[in-house]
Amino acid sequence: MRKIQAGALTYAIFIMLISLLITGSIISISYYNRTYIDNEIAKNNLLSYSESIIDAAVSDSTVSFPWDCKECNLNTENALNYNFEVNRNSWGGYYIFTTRVWHREQLIERKYLCGAKGVLNDNIALYFADNNNTLHIAGDTRITGDCILPKTGIKRTYIEGKHYTGDKNIYGNINTSSQKSLPKINENYIEFVRDMLQGKSVNNDSIISFSTLTNHEFENSFYKKTLCLIANEHLYLNNCSFTGNIKIYSNKGITIFPTAKLNNIMIFAPNIYIKQNSSVCIQAYASDTISAENNTTFSFPSVLGIISATNNSLIDIGENTLINGNIWIAKTHPFNKNENTFQLAKNSILNGIAHIEGYTSHKGIIYGSLYTENFVLKTFAGTYKNHLFNAVINVDARNTFYSSAIINKERS
């Protein structure tokens, strides 16, 4: 019998331990690599499913929220191992959709700001309510797109020595309006704005008095509670910055200066004044007056809206101003006399929809749709009712990526 030396046995045991360590390391690396790959696949699936369910949620008007997406066809068996939820909340004139997709310990939550489409037809250039009025056009007025006009229709006329220069009255189809009033704005939206203008803030808002602020630079995420800043005096927003999930309310009035940086916030006051050369992205709601001076810019998605308590309110847009979003005035019933007025000065552009329960004085350019009950035109020669002079309405020129606000009853 041959004897194995102790050193050789030790060496063999050492080799065996090294082999076990290497094998264990390979198994561990393989396991963690597999786990990493599985997690990355799950993460990519979470991102993909999040995009898919938001597409489905905004496309299907029959969906009620919160939505578990069970009937959503994601075309993969892997989706059966995931959980989904979509919620919808209003953010003024728009919607915020929140998607939550989770798998085991992984969760992705995303928020999307979305527009709406419904009773108001985004493809209509002009909706002119039937109050037994005839629309008169003169000068370089151009209306491009389908129109809904009173039974008395449209006629060419002569203003300030200038005839109508177009070869067609309307560059689109004409349908007859049978209604004396306009399609109604979303009732829940109107109620929300009215409550805010009356100082009724939402219960789950974080309410702070503006007078107690020591810092006028706030950025509040939409993943947090809404920050509501209230004031009992006229606010002068100057050298300040407010961004995101913020509402600002004053029971006196608000004046915005060019040094104010306002992005995606909402403001509420009886009167709102935007000074010359300002550039903001806001939803501004008033009960009496909104005035934007010359050379002002409103980035998308902005909204200027008035709920008039006396039917004598005014939205006045100065020259060379650009508005990307929506403008509306809602009258208060049962007042019979209605003097609400929207004025768009020359060389100013609205990309979006104007819905005016009252008079429209239109001397600028609307790339989108105009809904109005009446027109008024003031010149050096006098005042003309239901006349357009050197005004442009072109629904075909509206930005391709435009999404309207929930001034409509239903989403589609």
Side-chain angles (χ1 to χ4, degrees):
M1 177 184 288
R2 299 181 61 184
K3 296 183 179 179
I4 299 176
Q5 297 182 355
L9 183 59
T10 302
Y11 180 74
I13 293 173
F14 176 75
I15 294 297
M16 183 177 65
L17 290 174
I18 294 297
S19 299
L20 289 173
L21 288 174
I22 293 173
T23 302
S25 297
I26 293 173
I27 293 172
S28 297
I29 292 172
S30 177
Y31 170 77
Y32 286 112
N33 185 60
R34 183 67 245 178
T35 302
Y36 173 79
I37 292 173
D38 288 343
N39 287 337
E40 287 300 302
I41 292 174
K43 182 179 178 180
N44 290 333
N45 286 338
L46 291 171
L47 292 170
S48 176
Y49 293 150
S50 181
E51 296 291 339
S52 296
I53 62 176
I54 188 62
D55 288 342
V58 299
S59 300
D60 188 350
S61 60
T62 65
V63 169
S64 58
F65 300 94
W67 184 37
D68 59 14
C69 311
K70 287 182 179 179
E71 64 270 33
C72 185
N73 182 14
L74 298 174
N75 297 319
T76 173
E77 293 184 1
N78 289 334
L80 298 175
N81 299 318
Y82 290 75
N83 297 290
F84 308 93
E85 183 181 76
V86 182
N87 270 297
R88 188 192 72 188
N89 299 100
S90 297
W91 178 246
Y94 294 86
Y95 288 125
I96 291 180
F97 285 82
T98 303
T99 62
R100 299 179 76 250
V101 185
W102 64 96
H103 174 68
R104 295 176 183 169
E105 301 300 321
Q106 294 194 69
L107 167 69
I108 285 186
E109 181 177 356
R110 284 189 165 184
K111 291 182 179 287
Y112 303 81
L113 186 65
C114 300
K117 188 175 180 180
V119 173
L120 299 191
N121 187 344
D122 286 356
N123 296 318
I124 291 292
L126 173 61
Y127 188 111
F128 187 21
D130 185 8
N131 290 299
N132 298 317
N133 296 322
T134 302
L135 177 62
H136 297 83
I137 53 176
D140 295 325
T141 295
R142 293 293 182 273
I143 303 175
T144 303
D146 295 344
C147 297
I148 299 176
L149 303 178
K151 292 186 289 292
T152 50
I154 184 170
K155 293 182 180 179
R156 305 182 183 201
T157 192
Y158 182 86
I159 297 177
E160 293 192 341
K162 195 168 184 179
H163 288 285
Y164 178 68
T165 60
D167 56 352
K168 297 180 180 179
N169 290 347
I170 298 291
Y171 293 82
N173 299 316
I174 299 178
N175 296 309
T176 300
S177 171
S178 60
Q179 301 295 324
K180 293 185 178 181
S181 58
L182 302 181
K184 293 303 178 185
I185 298 175
N186 181 290
E187 291 86 354
N188 292 331
Y189 177 32
I190 291 294
E191 183 179 357
F192 161 75
V193 175
R194 182 182 290 110
D195 285 347
M196 286 300 302
L197 289 172
Q198 293 174 354
K200 300 175 183 178
S201 56
V202 180
N203 293 332
N204 57 0
D205 289 352
S206 296
I207 301 173
I208 300 177
S209 173
F210 211 96
S211 61
T212 63
L213 296 181
T214 57
N215 177 20
H216 287 177
E217 293 188 4
F218 279 92
E219 181 173 352
N220 192 41
S221 169
F222 283 95
Y223 291 91
K224 298 180 180 179
K225 290 176 64 174
T226 299
L227 180 63
C228 187
L229 306 175
I230 61 174
N232 292 318
E233 67 275 349
H234 191 108
L235 286 181
Y236 297 91
L237 299 181
N238 194 8
N239 294 313
C240 60
S241 177
F242 296 99
T243 299
N245 192 10
I246 298 173
K247 301 173 187 173
I248 298 177
Y249 166 78
S250 167
N251 62 2
K252 302 296 184 182
I254 296 176
T255 299
I256 299 171
F257 292 86
T259 55
K261 298 179 181 179
L262 309 178
N263 188 23
N264 281 333
I265 71 168
M266 288 191 281
I267 62 176
F268 304 84
N271 303 289
I272 298 172
Y273 307 99
I274 301 96
K275 305 299 285 185
Q276 184 171 332
N277 298 318
S278 296
S279 181
V280 294
C281 179
I282 59 174
Q283 295 186 52
Y285 300 108
S287 55
D288 188 86
T289 301
I290 297 177
S291 174
E293 295 182 357
N294 299 346
N295 303 304
T296 302
T297 299
F298 294 86
S299 301
F300 186 79
S302 289
V303 179
L304 305 179
I306 285 183
I307 297 179
S308 175
T310 61
N311 287 353
N312 192 25
S313 63
L314 172 66
I315 295 181
D316 183 22
I317 307 301
E319 296 184 5
N320 302 304
T321 290
L322 175 63
I323 302 170
N324 294 302
N326 297 274
I327 294 175
W328 57 265
I329 300 178
K331 64 184 177 183
T332 302
H333 299 285
F335 290 102
N336 292 322
K337 188 175 181 180
N338 182 5
E339 300 294 333
N340 294 325
T341 304
F342 163 51
Q343 298 180 167
L344 185 66
K346 63 181 181 179
N347 300 321
S348 289
I349 299 173
L350 167 65
N351 286 307
I353 294 178
H355 184 278
I356 309 302
E357 294 182 353
Y359 289 87
T360 297
S361 175
H362 177 26
K363 297 180 180 179
I365 300 172
I366 295 177
Y367 292 139
S369 306
L370 171 61
Y371 286 68
T372 189
E373 293 183 348
N374 294 286
F375 287 98
V376 63
L377 173 66
K378 294 182 179 180
T379 70
F380 292 112
T383 300
Y384 303 85
K385 188 175 181 180
N386 296 318
H387 283 64
L388 285 175
F389 181 58
N390 295 337
V392 173
I393 304 172
N394 189 339
V395 71
D396 296 335
R398 185 185 57 222
N399 190 295
T400 305
F401 300 102
Y402 167 80
S403 181
S404 64
I406 50 175
I407 54 178
N408 309 306
K409 288 185 178 180
E410 296 178 357
R411 177 176 52 89
S412 69

